[in-house]
Every structure is written in C-alpha cells, then in structure tokens.
Amino acid sequence: MLFNRHKTSLVPADQALPGRPAPAFTLREPHTVLGHPLTGPYPDGLEVADFGLGCFWGAERTFWRLPGVWTTLVGYQGGHTPNPTYEEVCSGLTGHTEAVRVVYDPAVVSYERLLKTFWEAHDPTQGNRQGNDVGTQYRSAVYTHSPAQAAAATATRDAFQPALTALGLGPVTTEIAPAGPFYPAEPYHQQYLSDAKNPNGYCGLGGTGASCPIGVARTDA
C-alpha cells in the first residue's frame, strides 16, 4: 500500500478532487473465493454492512472467512469525490476511507458478530492511521444502513472501550455515520489476498488483543 506521510486531516469538501460522473472501470468477475457477484442487486434476505479498518486488503479477507458472509468487496466510502481512483484516495484529497462491504445472511451471522470481528481485527484508537499505514484513508469507520445498525455500532464501541483502556490505549476514534455512496475499488484490489491472487501479499492489519465482550453469533436462527 502507498505510505502517506502528509494527509492526516480530512480534506474539506470544497477542496476535494472533482472526480468523475461514472466509474473509470467495471467489475465483471465474481468473488474469487466465494464465487458470488460482487455488486448488487443481492438475493432477498441478505443485508449489507460497511466497515473501514485500515488497509482494505487484509480487512476484506477477515470478513470473507466468516460463515454466513455471502460476498465481500472493497471500495471507497465516507468522502466527497465521486467515483474516485485508488491513487486519488491515497492522495488524501477525496476524503474517503478504504472500506469493505460485507453482504451477509442475518439468519447465519448477526450484525453484532460482524461488529465483534471489526473491533477485534484492528486498533480503533489510532485516528487517521492503522499501524504503519498513515493517512485519512486508513481511518476506522462504521457506515450504517439502519437505525438498528447505528445503535449496535455505538453499543459495541462503548462495550469495547473498557477493554482497550485496560491495555493502556486511548479512546476509540472510529467514525460511526450513516452510509453514503460506496464506490467499488479497482478489480485488482478485490480479494487481493486470496490464494488465487496474492496469498502472501502485504497485510498491515493487526488487532490490539482485546476481546469485544458482545456480538456472539445467533443460535436461535
């Protein structure tokens, strides 16, 4: 991933790059691991969750391994520039974070279980960075699709904070906000760390070792 030493504060909307009215590329291939389409419309009964937790290569792999996840894709979210490219996002001039979209079956895996994975897979106290990956595009974020998702994200954040504090870490800096436009990333980023692409590729993702005390999988489905 590109190492960004400069863009550690979010660009104002009036200073963001202009972007483009349509994507500069298309996604045609199915999920390299799960075999399902990357983009919707998705089958009835599935739900969507969006997370930012640093470099999206390792983040996506973390979620596609969970039972009940139907497909995943990486992209850009939470910014100003329409249909950005990877290079534009890495410049810090679009306002986006690298995000993972998780399409899941709530009868198999709950949203709270996804949140547990999210919190434990990275350090949500680091602001505009994740380990050696520095820049606003690596900030921690949960973009919600319903009031129930927003309530769960806030509740799990608050439940996780004491475990982080016990490790000597600071307050959670995760952005929790309603989901705006999700712009899929370029095809070569999708399932980048799969066995078929780059199984030994770079992954800067690392958790804190703290356990989020809620979010167990459903047993009544």
Side-chain angles (χ1 to χ4, degrees):
M1 304 294 282
L2 298 180
F3 189 83
N4 188 329
R5 295 178 179 272
H6 306 294
K7 300 300 180 181
T8 55
S9 59
L10 284 170
V11 64
D14 61 355
Q15 297 178 27
L17 295 174
R20 53 200 53 79
F25 50 87
T26 57
L27 297 180
R28 296 187 177 91
E29 299 299 320
H31 196 285
T32 305
V33 178
L34 301 176
H36 295 142
L38 298 182
T39 57
Y42 302 114
D44 291 344
L46 301 183
E47 296 182 7
V48 173
D50 295 331
F51 304 104
L53 54 157
C55 169
F56 53 20
W57 292 342
E60 184 187 20
R61 180 174 61 182
T62 297
F63 286 104
W64 83 52
R65 291 172 167 173
L66 291 177
V69 170
W70 191 81
T71 198
T72 59
L73 68 157
V74 296
Y76 313 116
Q77 199 167 17
H80 310 296
T81 300
N83 297 296
T85 66
Y86 177 65
E87 289 74 17
E88 289 170 345
V89 171
C90 285
S91 76
L93 296 175
T94 74
H96 293 92
T97 189
E98 294 189 14
V100 180
R101 171 154 287 183
V102 182
V103 182
Y104 66 101
D105 183 348
V108 179
V109 61
S110 68
Y111 183 66
E112 288 78 8
R113 179 64 180 86
L114 299 181
L115 284 165
K116 179 178 175 68
T117 297
F118 165 78
W119 294 120
E120 293 180 357
H122 75 303
D123 182 348
T125 71
Q126 292 192 321
N128 291 313
R129 68 179 298 158
Q130 197 61 213
N132 289 330
D133 293 323
V134 180
T136 56
Q137 76 269 28
Y138 300 117
R139 69 187 184 274
S140 176
V142 181
Y143 297 114
T144 61
H145 292 266
S146 68
Q149 284 193 357
T154 301
T156 54
R157 177 198 63 193
D158 295 346
F160 195 36
Q161 183 65 67
L164 297 170
T165 302
L167 292 177
L169 299 172
V172 169
T173 60
T174 301
E175 174 186 3
I176 299 175
F182 179 96
Y183 300 106
E186 291 81 348
Y188 73 92
H189 288 301
Q190 306 298 333
Q191 299 87 62
Y192 183 85
L193 294 182
S194 64
D195 289 344
K197 291 187 176 182
N198 299 282
N200 298 312
Y202 170 81
C203 177
L205 204 62
T208 62
S211 177
C212 188
I214 43 80
V216 296
R218 289 183 181 174
T219 59
D220 58 350

